[in-house]
Amino acid sequence: MKRHTLPETDSRKQMQRARRKHTERVVYAVVFTAVELWAVVAAVVLLDDSGVLAVAVAVVLSAALIAVWDTWQSILANGRALRGSMPDTGPTEGIEPDRTNLVRL
């Protein structure tokens, strides 16, 4: 599996490129997931065999579902890391700080 490195947070160009690449990966994952699910359903519905062939199909289908799961786990982790590395540029006026961890003396 290819590692996706995080961009430098102070480089606007790198952040835009990273967000674009992440969006592309999400689109590809959606298409990949749809094709894999279609193939799994077609294989299950059309297979009229038992024995060794049925076991082989079950192994291949489970591997396909594991590939889909791994793809989405990778995308979600990369998205979380990308959101975590983005600088906080939102408005802070009118927002009360979280004081639940403060101790009064």
Side-chain angles (χ1 to χ4, degrees):
M1 175 189 282
K2 183 178 176 183
R3 280 200 173 250
H4 299 280
T5 58
L6 291 177
E8 296 178 20
T9 57
D10 58 346
S11 174
R12 182 179 175 94
K13 188 175 181 180
Q14 285 184 3
M15 288 299 289
Q16 287 176 340
R17 183 174 186 272
R19 282 193 290 261
R20 188 185 75 239
K21 294 298 263 181
H22 179 71
T23 304
E24 289 174 3
R25 288 186 68 212
V26 169
V27 170
Y28 291 144
V30 167
V31 172
F32 175 69
T33 301
V35 170
E36 285 293 324
L37 291 177
W38 170 81
V40 166
V41 169
V44 168
V45 170
L46 297 176
L47 182 70
D48 289 330
D49 203 7
S50 60
V52 176
L53 183 60
V55 172
V57 169
V59 169
V60 170
L61 294 180
S62 65
L65 294 178
I66 289 171
V68 168
W69 176 262
D70 184 55
T71 300
W72 283 106
Q73 286 294 324
S74 173
I75 286 175
L76 292 175
N78 192 31
R80 273 188 236 111
L82 239 150
R83 283 190 303 275
S85 68
M86 290 181 6
D88 186 23
T89 59
T92 57
E93 294 180 26
I95 298 174
E96 289 293 320
D98 184 23
R99 299 176 191 258
T100 56
N101 294 333
L102 297 178
V103 177
R104 288 188 172 197
L105 297 177

